[in-house]
Amino acid sequence: MSSTERLYSVLIRRNAEAEDEIPADRRHTIAPNGLRLVLANALQSSGDQVVNASTVLPWLFAVLGVPPALTGVLVPIREAGSMLPQAFLTPLVLRVRYRKWVFIAGALVQAGAVAVMAGTAALGEGLAAGLMIVAALAIFALGRCLCSISSKDVQGRTVPKGERGQINGVATTAAGLVAITLGLVIRLLGGSDIAAEQLFWLLALGVVLWLAVAAVYVGIREPVNEQSASAKSTTNESASEHKNSFVRMATLLRRDKPFRDFVTVRSLLLVSSLSPPFIVTLSVQAGASSLTGLGGFIIASGLAALIGGRLFGRFADRSSKKLMSIGAGVASAVIIVTVGLAALPAVSADSWWGNILFVVSYFAVTLMHTGVRVGRKTYVVDMAQGDQRTVYVAVSNSAMGLILLVTGGLSSLLALVHIAWPLLFLAAMGIIGVVAGARLPEVSRG
Protein backbone atom coordinates (compact mmCIF):
# COMPACT_ATOMS: atom_id res chain seq x y z
CA MET A 1 0.00 0.00 0.00
CA SER A 2 1.40 3.41 -1.00
CA SER A 3 1.85 6.29 1.45
CA THR A 4 -1.02 8.11 -0.24
CA GLU A 5 -3.33 5.14 0.29
CA ARG A 6 -2.25 4.82 3.91
CA LEU A 7 -2.78 8.50 4.68
CA TYR A 8 -6.20 8.50 3.02
CA SER A 9 -7.21 5.38 4.96
CA VAL A 10 -6.15 7.05 8.22
CA LEU A 11 -8.19 10.17 7.53
CA ILE A 12 -11.20 8.55 5.88
CA ARG A 13 -13.07 5.39 6.86
CA ARG A 14 -13.31 3.75 3.46
CA ASN A 15 -16.44 2.21 1.96
CA ALA A 16 -15.12 -0.98 0.32
CA GLU A 17 -18.48 -1.91 -1.16
CA ALA A 18 -18.90 1.43 -2.91
CA GLU A 19 -15.28 1.43 -4.10
CA ASP A 20 -15.76 -2.02 -5.67
CA GLU A 21 -18.49 -0.54 -7.88
CA ILE A 22 -15.98 1.89 -9.42
CA PRO A 23 -14.21 0.66 -12.58
CA ALA A 24 -10.89 -1.04 -11.76
CA ASP A 25 -8.86 1.43 -13.81
CA ARG A 26 -10.12 4.31 -11.65
CA ARG A 27 -9.83 2.86 -8.15
CA HIS A 28 -6.21 3.87 -7.75
CA THR A 29 -7.24 7.54 -8.14
CA ILE A 30 -9.65 7.55 -5.19
CA ALA A 31 -7.01 8.16 -2.49
CA PRO A 32 -4.98 10.89 -4.28
CA ASN A 33 -8.15 12.63 -5.45
CA GLY A 34 -9.64 12.41 -1.96
CA LEU A 35 -6.55 13.92 -0.33
CA ARG A 36 -6.49 16.75 -2.86
CA LEU A 37 -10.16 17.46 -2.17
CA VAL A 38 -9.49 17.53 1.58
CA LEU A 39 -6.61 19.98 1.11
CA ALA A 40 -8.46 22.17 -1.39
CA ASN A 41 -11.59 22.34 0.77
CA ALA A 42 -9.51 23.13 3.87
CA LEU A 43 -7.70 25.95 2.06
CA GLN A 44 -11.00 27.26 0.71
CA SER A 45 -12.63 27.25 4.16
CA SER A 46 -9.57 29.01 5.59
CA GLY A 47 -9.86 31.63 2.87
CA ASP A 48 -13.51 32.12 3.81
CA GLN A 49 -12.43 32.95 7.37
CA VAL A 50 -9.98 35.55 6.10
CA VAL A 51 -12.66 37.23 3.94
CA ASN A 52 -15.56 36.71 6.34
CA ALA A 53 -18.42 39.11 5.57
CA SER A 54 -19.72 38.83 9.13
CA THR A 55 -16.49 39.61 10.98
CA VAL A 56 -13.37 40.65 9.04
CA LEU A 57 -14.94 42.92 6.41
CA PRO A 58 -17.16 44.86 8.86
CA TRP A 59 -14.06 45.37 11.02
CA LEU A 60 -12.18 46.65 7.98
CA PHE A 61 -15.05 49.04 7.19
CA ALA A 62 -14.86 50.46 10.71
CA VAL A 63 -11.10 50.94 10.46
CA LEU A 64 -11.36 52.66 7.07
CA GLY A 65 -14.19 54.94 8.17
CA VAL A 66 -16.77 53.51 5.77
CA PRO A 67 -20.34 54.71 6.52
CA PRO A 68 -22.10 52.12 8.74
CA ALA A 69 -25.07 51.88 6.35
CA LEU A 70 -22.85 50.17 3.79
CA THR A 71 -21.93 47.43 6.24
CA GLY A 72 -25.44 46.02 6.03
CA VAL A 73 -25.01 44.91 2.40
CA LEU A 74 -21.92 42.74 2.98
CA VAL A 75 -23.59 39.46 4.01
CA PRO A 76 -26.44 39.62 1.43
CA ILE A 77 -23.98 40.28 -1.40
CA ARG A 78 -21.63 37.52 -0.23
CA GLU A 79 -24.31 34.87 0.27
CA ALA A 80 -27.01 35.63 -2.29
CA GLY A 81 -24.42 36.76 -4.83
CA SER A 82 -22.83 33.32 -4.81
CA MET A 83 -26.17 31.52 -5.15
CA LEU A 84 -28.49 33.48 -7.45
CA PRO A 85 -26.38 33.24 -10.66
CA GLN A 86 -26.06 29.47 -10.51
CA ALA A 87 -29.17 28.65 -12.53
CA PHE A 88 -27.98 31.06 -15.25
CA LEU A 89 -24.45 29.65 -15.33
CA THR A 90 -25.37 25.97 -15.26
CA PRO A 91 -25.91 25.60 -19.06
CA LEU A 92 -22.37 26.96 -19.59
CA VAL A 93 -20.89 24.68 -16.93
CA LEU A 94 -22.59 21.62 -18.43
CA ARG A 95 -20.66 22.20 -21.65
CA VAL A 96 -17.34 21.85 -19.85
CA ARG A 97 -16.11 18.26 -20.05
CA TYR A 98 -13.94 18.40 -16.91
CA ARG A 99 -15.63 20.41 -14.17
CA LYS A 100 -12.43 20.92 -12.19
CA TRP A 101 -11.48 23.70 -14.61
CA VAL A 102 -14.67 25.56 -13.69
CA PHE A 103 -13.65 25.34 -10.04
CA ILE A 104 -10.12 26.52 -10.80
CA ALA A 105 -11.49 29.52 -12.71
CA GLY A 106 -13.69 30.39 -9.73
CA ALA A 107 -10.76 30.14 -7.31
CA LEU A 108 -8.67 32.49 -9.46
CA VAL A 109 -11.54 34.99 -9.65
CA GLN A 110 -11.77 34.97 -5.86
CA ALA A 111 -8.00 35.45 -5.52
CA GLY A 112 -8.19 38.50 -7.79
CA ALA A 113 -11.14 39.96 -5.87
CA VAL A 114 -9.38 39.55 -2.51
CA ALA A 115 -6.29 41.22 -3.99
CA VAL A 116 -8.44 44.27 -4.78
CA MET A 117 -9.75 44.28 -1.20
CA ALA A 118 -6.21 44.09 0.15
CA GLY A 119 -5.11 47.00 -2.04
CA THR A 120 -8.09 49.02 -0.86
CA ALA A 121 -7.24 48.26 2.76
CA ALA A 122 -3.74 49.63 2.18
CA LEU A 123 -4.62 52.73 0.15
CA GLY A 124 -8.32 53.58 0.53
CA GLU A 125 -10.59 55.16 3.11
CA GLY A 126 -14.13 56.38 3.57
CA LEU A 127 -17.06 55.82 1.23
CA ALA A 128 -14.89 55.24 -1.85
CA ALA A 129 -13.05 52.41 -0.10
CA GLY A 130 -16.35 50.89 0.99
CA LEU A 131 -17.78 50.94 -2.52
CA MET A 132 -14.59 49.40 -3.94
CA ILE A 133 -14.68 46.57 -1.40
CA VAL A 134 -18.39 45.94 -2.03
CA ALA A 135 -17.74 45.72 -5.77
CA ALA A 136 -14.83 43.33 -5.17
CA LEU A 137 -17.04 41.26 -2.88
CA ALA A 138 -19.64 40.95 -5.65
CA ILE A 139 -16.93 39.61 -8.00
CA PHE A 140 -15.70 37.33 -5.21
CA ALA A 141 -19.25 35.95 -4.86
CA LEU A 142 -19.37 35.23 -8.59
CA GLY A 143 -16.14 33.23 -8.34
CA ARG A 144 -17.56 31.35 -5.36
CA CYS A 145 -20.64 30.64 -7.46
CA LEU A 146 -18.49 28.83 -10.05
CA CYS A 147 -16.77 26.82 -7.30
CA SER A 148 -20.06 25.86 -5.72
CA ILE A 149 -21.57 24.60 -8.98
CA SER A 150 -18.56 22.48 -9.87
CA SER A 151 -17.11 21.25 -6.57
CA LYS A 152 -19.90 18.85 -5.64
CA ASP A 153 -19.90 17.39 -9.14
CA VAL A 154 -16.13 16.83 -9.02
CA GLN A 155 -16.46 15.21 -5.60
CA GLY A 156 -19.30 12.99 -6.80
CA ARG A 157 -17.25 11.82 -9.79
CA THR A 158 -14.03 11.11 -7.92
CA VAL A 159 -15.08 9.84 -4.45
CA PRO A 160 -17.63 7.06 -3.72
CA LYS A 161 -20.58 7.27 -1.36
CA GLY A 162 -19.75 6.73 2.27
CA GLU A 163 -16.58 8.83 2.03
CA ARG A 164 -17.79 12.20 0.76
CA GLY A 165 -19.11 13.49 4.07
CA GLN A 166 -15.85 12.59 5.80
CA ILE A 167 -13.88 14.58 3.24
CA ASN A 168 -16.05 17.63 3.99
CA GLY A 169 -15.64 16.97 7.70
CA VAL A 170 -11.85 16.56 7.72
CA ALA A 171 -11.47 19.71 5.61
CA THR A 172 -13.73 21.61 8.01
CA THR A 173 -11.64 20.42 10.97
CA ALA A 174 -8.43 21.59 9.31
CA ALA A 175 -9.99 24.97 8.55
CA GLY A 176 -11.07 25.17 12.19
CA LEU A 177 -7.45 24.84 13.31
CA VAL A 178 -6.50 27.66 10.94
CA ALA A 179 -9.34 29.83 12.25
CA ILE A 180 -8.35 29.29 15.89
CA THR A 181 -4.74 30.18 15.11
CA LEU A 182 -5.86 33.25 13.18
CA GLY A 183 -8.15 34.37 15.99
CA LEU A 184 -5.40 34.00 18.60
CA VAL A 185 -2.96 35.96 16.45
CA ILE A 186 -5.50 38.75 15.99
CA ARG A 187 -6.13 38.96 19.74
CA LEU A 188 -2.38 39.12 20.39
CA LEU A 189 -2.07 41.92 17.82
CA GLY A 190 -4.49 44.08 19.74
CA GLY A 191 -8.00 42.61 19.73
CA SER A 192 -10.26 45.53 18.83
CA ASP A 193 -7.36 47.88 17.99
CA ILE A 194 -6.36 46.22 14.70
CA ALA A 195 -5.07 48.70 12.12
CA ALA A 196 -5.70 48.77 8.37
CA GLU A 197 -2.11 47.69 7.72
CA GLN A 198 -2.62 44.48 9.71
CA LEU A 199 -5.86 43.78 7.88
CA PHE A 200 -4.00 44.27 4.58
CA TRP A 201 -1.64 41.43 5.47
CA LEU A 202 -4.60 39.30 6.54
CA LEU A 203 -6.27 39.81 3.15
CA ALA A 204 -2.96 39.21 1.38
CA LEU A 205 -2.91 35.82 3.11
CA GLY A 206 -6.35 35.24 1.60
CA VAL A 207 -4.96 35.79 -1.90
CA VAL A 208 -2.27 33.17 -1.26
CA LEU A 209 -4.86 30.70 0.05
CA TRP A 210 -7.09 31.00 -3.03
CA LEU A 211 -4.14 30.62 -5.39
CA ALA A 212 -3.16 27.49 -3.46
CA VAL A 213 -6.71 26.14 -3.85
CA ALA A 214 -6.46 26.48 -7.64
CA ALA A 215 -3.03 24.83 -7.70
CA VAL A 216 -4.22 21.83 -5.67
CA TYR A 217 -7.28 21.34 -7.90
CA VAL A 218 -5.15 21.17 -11.04
CA GLY A 219 -3.83 17.77 -9.90
CA ILE A 220 -7.25 16.13 -9.51
CA ARG A 221 -7.78 13.28 -12.00
CA GLU A 222 -11.41 13.66 -12.97
CA PRO A 223 -13.08 10.93 -15.09
CA VAL A 224 -14.91 11.67 -18.32
CA ASN A 225 -18.52 12.87 -18.06
CA GLU A 226 -20.61 10.16 -16.38
CA GLN A 227 -23.94 11.66 -17.36
CA SER A 228 -26.79 9.21 -16.92
CA ALA A 229 -29.82 8.84 -19.13
CA SER A 230 -32.08 10.48 -16.57
CA ALA A 231 -29.65 13.35 -16.12
CA LYS A 232 -29.48 13.82 -19.90
CA SER A 233 -33.24 13.94 -20.03
CA THR A 234 -33.36 16.56 -17.31
CA THR A 235 -30.59 18.64 -18.86
CA ASN A 236 -31.89 18.47 -22.42
CA GLU A 237 -35.40 19.30 -21.30
CA SER A 238 -34.12 22.29 -19.37
CA ALA A 239 -32.03 23.54 -22.27
CA SER A 240 -34.50 23.03 -25.12
CA GLU A 241 -37.90 23.71 -23.59
CA HIS A 242 -37.06 26.55 -21.23
CA LYS A 243 -34.55 29.18 -22.21
CA ASN A 244 -35.40 31.38 -19.25
CA SER A 245 -33.39 30.31 -16.23
CA PHE A 246 -36.08 31.18 -13.72
CA VAL A 247 -38.65 29.18 -15.69
CA ARG A 248 -36.21 26.27 -15.85
CA MET A 249 -35.65 26.45 -12.11
CA ALA A 250 -39.39 26.59 -11.38
CA THR A 251 -40.04 23.67 -13.73
CA LEU A 252 -37.51 21.42 -12.03
CA LEU A 253 -38.83 22.30 -8.58
CA ARG A 254 -42.39 21.61 -9.69
CA ARG A 255 -41.75 18.26 -11.40
CA ASP A 256 -39.08 16.73 -9.16
CA LYS A 257 -40.70 16.13 -5.76
CA PRO A 258 -37.67 14.65 -3.92
CA PHE A 259 -35.57 17.61 -5.03
CA ARG A 260 -38.31 20.09 -4.12
CA ASP A 261 -38.60 18.56 -0.67
CA PHE A 262 -34.83 18.92 -0.17
CA VAL A 263 -34.90 22.61 -1.16
CA THR A 264 -37.86 23.19 1.17
CA VAL A 265 -36.08 21.60 4.12
CA ARG A 266 -32.86 23.45 3.33
CA SER A 267 -34.82 26.72 3.36
CA LEU A 268 -36.15 25.97 6.84
CA LEU A 269 -32.65 25.24 8.14
CA LEU A 270 -31.40 28.81 7.75
CA VAL A 271 -31.65 29.14 11.53
CA SER A 272 -28.03 28.14 12.08
CA SER A 273 -26.60 30.39 9.36
CA LEU A 274 -28.56 33.61 9.95
CA SER A 275 -28.80 33.69 13.74
CA PRO A 276 -25.12 34.13 14.84
CA PRO A 277 -24.94 37.86 13.91
CA PHE A 278 -28.13 38.48 15.92
CA ILE A 279 -26.65 36.65 18.91
CA VAL A 280 -23.66 38.99 18.74
CA THR A 281 -25.98 42.01 18.58
CA LEU A 282 -28.00 40.68 21.51
CA SER A 283 -24.81 40.35 23.57
CA VAL A 284 -23.81 43.94 22.76
CA GLN A 285 -27.25 45.26 23.74
CA ALA A 286 -27.02 43.36 27.03
CA GLY A 287 -23.62 44.92 27.68
CA ALA A 288 -21.87 41.55 27.83
CA SER A 289 -19.20 42.21 25.26
CA SER A 290 -15.83 41.95 27.00
CA LEU A 291 -15.12 38.52 25.50
CA THR A 292 -16.23 39.55 22.01
CA GLY A 293 -14.18 41.16 19.29
CA LEU A 294 -12.87 40.04 15.95
CA GLY A 295 -10.43 37.50 17.37
CA GLY A 296 -12.94 36.08 19.86
CA PHE A 297 -15.60 35.34 17.28
CA ILE A 298 -13.12 33.81 14.85
CA ILE A 299 -11.84 31.55 17.64
CA ALA A 300 -15.39 30.47 18.48
CA SER A 301 -16.22 29.59 14.88
CA GLY A 302 -12.86 27.86 14.52
CA LEU A 303 -13.49 25.70 17.59
CA ALA A 304 -16.89 24.77 16.21
CA ALA A 305 -15.33 23.70 12.91
CA LEU A 306 -12.53 21.83 14.68
CA ILE A 307 -14.90 19.81 16.84
CA GLY A 308 -17.71 19.39 14.35
CA GLY A 309 -15.79 18.68 11.16
CA ARG A 310 -14.61 15.16 11.91
CA LEU A 311 -17.66 14.21 13.99
CA PHE A 312 -20.27 15.41 11.52
CA GLY A 313 -18.39 14.10 8.47
CA ARG A 314 -18.87 10.48 9.54
CA PHE A 315 -22.42 11.21 10.72
CA ALA A 316 -23.25 12.60 7.28
CA ASP A 317 -22.07 9.42 5.55
CA ARG A 318 -24.39 7.38 7.77
CA SER A 319 -27.43 9.65 7.45
CA SER A 320 -27.05 13.17 6.07
CA LYS A 321 -30.76 13.92 6.49
CA LYS A 322 -30.69 13.11 10.22
CA LEU A 323 -27.62 15.32 10.64
CA MET A 324 -29.42 18.28 9.06
CA SER A 325 -32.48 17.82 11.27
CA ILE A 326 -30.55 17.33 14.51
CA GLY A 327 -28.35 20.36 13.80
CA ALA A 328 -31.33 22.63 13.15
CA GLY A 329 -33.22 21.30 16.18
CA VAL A 330 -30.35 21.85 18.62
CA ALA A 331 -29.62 25.32 17.15
CA SER A 332 -33.27 26.30 17.60
CA ALA A 333 -33.28 25.09 21.20
CA VAL A 334 -30.07 26.99 21.98
CA ILE A 335 -31.53 30.19 20.53
CA ILE A 336 -34.75 29.91 22.54
CA VAL A 337 -32.81 29.30 25.78
CA THR A 338 -30.44 32.19 25.01
CA VAL A 339 -33.27 34.66 24.38
CA GLY A 340 -34.95 33.57 27.61
CA LEU A 341 -31.80 33.85 29.73
CA ALA A 342 -30.84 37.18 28.11
CA ALA A 343 -34.05 38.67 29.54
CA LEU A 344 -32.91 37.94 33.10
CA PRO A 345 -31.51 40.86 35.14
CA ALA A 346 -28.28 38.95 35.84
CA VAL A 347 -27.40 39.06 32.14
CA SER A 348 -28.25 42.72 31.58
CA ALA A 349 -24.80 43.97 32.59
CA ASP A 350 -21.20 43.39 31.55
CA SER A 351 -20.94 40.33 33.78
CA TRP A 352 -18.99 37.10 33.76
CA TRP A 353 -22.28 35.19 33.51
CA GLY A 354 -23.43 37.26 30.56
CA ASN A 355 -20.18 36.79 28.68
CA ILE A 356 -20.27 33.03 29.20
CA LEU A 357 -23.88 32.82 28.01
CA PHE A 358 -23.37 34.62 24.72
CA VAL A 359 -20.00 33.09 23.88
CA VAL A 360 -21.29 29.56 24.55
CA SER A 361 -24.48 30.27 22.59
CA TYR A 362 -22.54 31.62 19.60
CA PHE A 363 -20.24 28.61 19.69
CA ALA A 364 -23.12 26.11 19.97
CA VAL A 365 -25.11 27.57 17.08
CA THR A 366 -22.00 27.78 14.91
CA LEU A 367 -21.18 24.16 15.78
CA MET A 368 -24.66 23.09 14.71
CA HIS A 369 -24.30 25.10 11.51
CA THR A 370 -21.17 23.08 10.75
CA GLY A 371 -23.27 19.93 11.00
CA VAL A 372 -26.13 21.30 8.92
CA ARG A 373 -23.72 22.48 6.21
CA VAL A 374 -21.83 19.18 6.02
CA GLY A 375 -25.14 17.29 6.01
CA ARG A 376 -26.79 19.23 3.20
CA LYS A 377 -23.65 19.16 1.04
CA THR A 378 -23.41 15.41 1.41
CA TYR A 379 -27.14 14.91 0.82
CA VAL A 380 -27.26 16.76 -2.50
CA VAL A 381 -24.15 14.95 -3.76
CA ASP A 382 -25.58 11.54 -2.81
CA MET A 383 -29.08 12.09 -4.18
CA ALA A 384 -28.08 12.50 -7.84
CA GLN A 385 -25.63 11.36 -10.52
CA GLY A 386 -23.69 13.04 -13.33
CA ASP A 387 -25.02 16.26 -14.82
CA GLN A 388 -28.21 15.91 -12.80
CA ARG A 389 -26.07 16.56 -9.71
CA THR A 390 -24.76 19.78 -11.28
CA VAL A 391 -28.30 20.92 -12.09
CA TYR A 392 -29.51 20.08 -8.57
CA VAL A 393 -26.69 22.05 -6.94
CA ALA A 394 -27.17 25.08 -9.19
CA VAL A 395 -30.95 25.24 -8.97
CA SER A 396 -31.07 24.65 -5.21
CA ASN A 397 -28.46 27.36 -4.61
CA SER A 398 -30.22 29.84 -6.90
CA ALA A 399 -33.49 29.17 -5.11
CA MET A 400 -31.71 29.59 -1.77
CA GLY A 401 -30.33 32.94 -2.92
CA LEU A 402 -33.87 34.24 -3.35
CA ILE A 403 -35.07 32.66 -0.12
CA LEU A 404 -32.08 34.07 1.74
CA LEU A 405 -32.90 37.59 0.61
CA VAL A 406 -36.54 37.22 1.69
CA THR A 407 -35.73 35.59 5.03
CA GLY A 408 -32.96 38.07 5.72
CA GLY A 409 -35.32 40.94 4.93
CA LEU A 410 -37.99 39.62 7.28
CA SER A 411 -35.41 39.09 10.03
CA SER A 412 -34.13 42.66 9.61
CA LEU A 413 -37.66 44.05 9.86
CA LEU A 414 -38.30 42.04 13.02
CA ALA A 415 -35.02 43.34 14.46
CA LEU A 416 -36.46 46.87 14.29
CA VAL A 417 -38.92 45.82 17.00
CA HIS A 418 -36.40 43.94 19.17
CA ILE A 419 -33.35 41.85 18.44
CA ALA A 420 -34.97 38.83 20.10
CA TRP A 421 -37.76 38.59 17.52
CA PRO A 422 -35.66 37.58 14.50
CA LEU A 423 -33.94 34.97 16.67
CA LEU A 424 -37.28 33.47 17.71
CA PHE A 425 -38.51 33.65 14.11
CA LEU A 426 -35.47 31.72 12.88
CA ALA A 427 -35.80 29.21 15.73
CA ALA A 428 -39.42 28.56 14.75
CA MET A 429 -38.32 27.95 11.15
CA GLY A 430 -35.71 25.50 12.40
CA ILE A 431 -38.26 23.51 14.42
CA ILE A 432 -40.51 23.22 11.36
CA GLY A 433 -37.44 22.16 9.38
CA VAL A 434 -36.79 19.30 11.81
CA VAL A 435 -40.27 17.91 11.18
CA ALA A 436 -40.00 18.35 7.42
CA GLY A 437 -36.49 16.87 7.33
CA ALA A 438 -37.69 13.64 8.93
CA ARG A 439 -39.79 13.01 5.81
CA LEU A 440 -36.88 13.22 3.35
CA PRO A 441 -35.81 9.92 1.75
CA GLU A 442 -32.55 8.38 2.95
CA VAL A 443 -29.84 8.72 0.28
CA SER A 444 -26.65 8.07 2.27
CA ARG A 445 -24.94 4.78 2.96
CA GLY A 446 -27.15 4.14 6.00
Side-chain angles (χ1 to χ4, degrees), residues 40-403:
N41 290 345
L43 291 170
Q44 178 176 253
S45 297
S46 300
D48 286 340
Q49 291 288 356
V50 171
V51 196
N52 195 313
S54 298
T55 53
V56 175
L57 295 185
W59 221 273
L60 177 61
F61 271 23
V63 171
L64 297 179
V66 177
L70 205 57
T71 304
V73 306
L74 289 173
V75 172
I77 286 178
R78 165 64 181 83
E79 298 298 329
S82 64
M83 293 180 177
L84 279 173
Q86 293 197 17
F88 297 95
L89 294 175
T90 299
L92 298 176
V93 173
L94 291 177
R95 297 174 186 172
V96 181
R97 188 177 187 184
Y98 295 103
R99 304 290 156 74
K100 73 175 185 178
W101 296 113
V102 177
F103 185 98
I104 291 167
L108 293 176
V109 168
Q110 289 174 95
V114 178
V116 172
M117 296 181 197
T120 305
L123 304 173
E125 62 179 352
L127 177 61
L131 293 174
M132 181 66 72
I133 292 173
V134 167
L137 183 62
I139 297 173
F140 177 91
L142 179 61
R144 186 52 180 267
C145 174
L146 293 173
C147 290
S148 180
I149 294 175
S150 55
S151 62
K152 297 176 183 65
D153 200 23
V154 172
Q155 187 184 71
R157 292 183 181 188
T158 57
V159 178
K161 280 188 178 184
E163 300 176 15
R164 298 163 182 167
Q166 295 177 72
I167 285 178
N168 293 332
V170 172
T172 301
T173 299
L177 285 171
V178 173
I180 292 172
T181 303
L182 178 63
L184 290 172
V185 170
I186 288 174
R187 290 188 69 85
L188 290 174
L189 290 175
S192 60
D193 298 324
I194 299 175
E197 180 182 356
Q198 294 166 321
L199 290 173
F200 161 77
W201 288 110
L202 183 63
L203 292 170
L205 172 62
V207 176
V208 175
L209 288 172
W210 287 110
L211 290 175
V213 170
V216 170
Y217 239 76
V218 169
I220 290 177
R221 300 178 64 180
E222 182 183 359
V224 179
N225 197 332
E226 60 175 25
Q227 187 178 28
S228 64
S230 60
K232 287 181 180 179
S233 175
T234 301
T235 305
N236 292 337
E237 179 180 295
S238 297
S240 61
E241 294 184 11
H242 305 288
K243 295 182 179 180
N244 184 280
S245 295
F246 280 107
V247 173
R248 185 165 61 248
M249 180 171 67
T251 299
L252 179 60
L253 289 169
R254 185 177 69 251
R255 296 182 179 179
D256 193 329
K257 186 179 184 301
F259 176 64
R260 182 175 68 249
D261 291 343
F262 165 71
V263 173
T264 300
V265 171
R266 183 180 173 185
S267 302
L268 294 169
L269 302 186
L270 287 173
V271 53
S272 62
S273 62
L274 294 182
S275 57
F278 292 114
I279 294 176
V280 174
T281 304
L282 186 64
S283 72
V284 173
Q285 290 186 355
S289 58
S290 63
L291 292 183
T292 60
L294 180 57
F297 286 122
I298 292 177
I299 291 172
S301 62
L303 277 173
L306 180 64
I307 295 172
R310 184 79 171 184
L311 172 66
F312 295 138
R314 292 189 175 179
F315 194 157
D317 283 330
R318 290 196 298 270
S319 178
S320 52
K321 77 162 192 173
K322 289 181 181 178
L323 177 57
M324 290 189 292
S325 295
I326 292 173
V330 174
S332 298
V334 169
I335 289 170
I336 293 172
V337 171
T338 301
V339 171
L341 292 178
L344 299 176
V347 189
S348 61
D350 187 8
S351 61
W352 178 86
W353 162 245
N355 278 296
I356 291 297
L357 169 65
F358 293 116
V359 169
V360 170
S361 175
Y362 183 89
F363 164 77
V365 173
T366 306
L367 177 64
M368 290 302 103
H369 180 58
T370 300
V372 171
R373 186 175 65 250
V374 171
R376 65 155 172 90
K377 285 183 177 181
T378 306
Y379 192 93
V380 74
V381 172
D382 287 347
M383 76 181 297
Q385 300 291 331
D387 282 346
Q388 188 181 39
R389 183 188 297 117
T390 306
V391 174
Y392 274 7
V393 171
V395 173
S396 64
N397 284 344
S398 292
M400 285 305 302
L402 292 172
I403 294 168

